[in-house]
């Protein structure tokens, strides 16, 4: 049995706040798929999806924060995101690529993957990872909100749900986005 050791001791001074944007992207019907495909093939499906989103991560200058199971979490420092609409465009480009590759996915997995997404922005607490010094750890309501909105996507049968704060951060020129209010949640 191995034990983990921390890189250094931490205290409250090792935590700071910064403005960040988060995009959570989650595979639809993942429980069903994992059961149907089995662990290895399901893992390979997720790996293929990550390979398909990877060019967009670089194109839109996102930070790949985490891949947790079938969920991909991307982030931007608020000041580094030149256009908040790019956050949504990354998701739409990824969705379009999956659609273009649907025949390949159907042939290989018997399923063409579809994802839902949520995004929010605001202040988060940042600390260094006590086990891997160069990886940040983000905590706060922004992440909790994104995670909760994924459930709302499923409940309301929407491919993307964004917060009012995120809508306010969009440039007025983003008229091509079809944003509809679903009320307060």
């Amino acid at each position: 049995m191995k034990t983990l050791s921390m890189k250094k001791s931490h205290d409250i001074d090792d935590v700071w706040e910064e403005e960040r944007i988060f995009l959570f992207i989650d595979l639809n019907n993942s429980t069903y798929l994992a059961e149907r495909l089995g662990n290895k093939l399901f893992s390979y499906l997720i790996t293929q999806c990550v390979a398909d989103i990877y060019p967009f991560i670089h194109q839109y200058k996102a930070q790949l924060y985490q891949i947790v199971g079938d969920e991909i979490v991307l982030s931007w420092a608020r000041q580094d995101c030149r256009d908040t609409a790019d956050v949504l465009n990354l998701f739409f480009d990824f969705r379009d690529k999956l659609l273009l590759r649907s025949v390949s996915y159907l042939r290989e997995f018997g399923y063409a993957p579809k994802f839902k997404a949520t995004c929010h922005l605001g202040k988060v607490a940042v600390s260094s990872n006590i086990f891997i010094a160069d990886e940040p750890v983000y905590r706060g309501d922004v992440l909790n909100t994104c995670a909760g909105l994924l459930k709302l996507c499923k409940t309301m049968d929407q491919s993307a749900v964004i917060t009012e704060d995120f809508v306010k951060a969009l440039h007025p020129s983003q008229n091509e986005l079809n944003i509809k209010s679903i009320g307060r949640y």
Side-chain angles (χ1 to χ4, degrees):
M1 177 189 228
K2 293 184 179 180
T3 60
L4 296 174
S5 61
M6 296 192 287
K7 297 287 183 196
K8 66 175 189 166
S9 64
H10 287 271
D11 59 32
I12 194 77
D13 295 329
D14 294 327
V15 178
W16 63 96
E17 286 187 324
E18 61 182 55
E19 290 276 334
R20 295 201 69 85
I21 301 170
F22 283 88
L23 174 65
F24 281 40
I25 303 172
D26 189 54
L27 179 65
N28 293 340
N29 304 315
S30 59
T31 302
Y32 165 77
L33 275 173
E35 291 170 353
R36 196 179 122 239
L37 296 175
N39 291 335
K40 289 172 89 174
L41 196 54
F42 181 72
S43 179
Y44 185 63
L45 169 74
I46 298 302
T47 300
Q48 290 299 303
C49 292
V50 171
D52 283 338
I53 198 172
Y54 198 74
F56 302 117
I57 292 171
H58 287 286
Q59 177 183 343
Y60 291 105
K61 296 178 178 25
Q63 172 194 356
L64 176 58
Y65 176 49
Q66 293 179 336
I67 300 172
V68 181
D70 62 307
E71 184 176 288
I72 302 165
V73 180
L74 304 175
S75 182
W76 292 257
R78 181 69 177 93
Q79 73 272 10
D80 295 340
C81 187
R82 67 184 188 279
D83 185 352
T84 49
D86 282 349
V87 176
L88 296 172
N89 290 331
L90 184 153
F91 173 65
F92 297 140
D93 287 351
F94 173 53
R95 191 176 64 178
D96 292 347
K97 184 168 187 176
L98 291 176
L99 188 59
L100 287 172
R101 295 204 55 237
S102 61
V103 171
S104 172
Y105 274 102
L106 283 168
R107 184 174 41 249
E108 200 159 351
F109 302 101
Y111 179 81
K114 293 181 180 164
F115 285 77
K116 55 190 167 289
T118 64
C119 51
H120 186 35
L121 53 83
K123 280 189 179 182
V124 294
V126 185
S127 63
S128 59
N129 187 316
I130 61 174
F131 301 107
I132 306 168
D134 60 344
E135 287 190 18
V137 175
Y138 302 111
R139 293 186 179 92
D141 191 54
V142 172
L143 287 94
N144 297 339
T145 298
C146 281
L149 288 176
L150 285 174
K151 293 178 183 119
L152 191 59
C153 279
K154 185 176 180 177
T155 302
M156 301 196 74
D157 194 31
Q158 297 293 316
S159 63
V161 173
I162 60 178
T163 64
E164 184 178 352
D165 289 340
F166 187 84
V167 172
K168 288 176 183 175
L170 290 169
H171 294 122
S173 64
Q174 301 305 321
N175 295 349
E176 73 274 4
L177 296 174
N178 185 13
I179 299 172
K180 298 176 187 169
S181 175
I182 58 172
R184 289 193 141 330
Y185 287 87

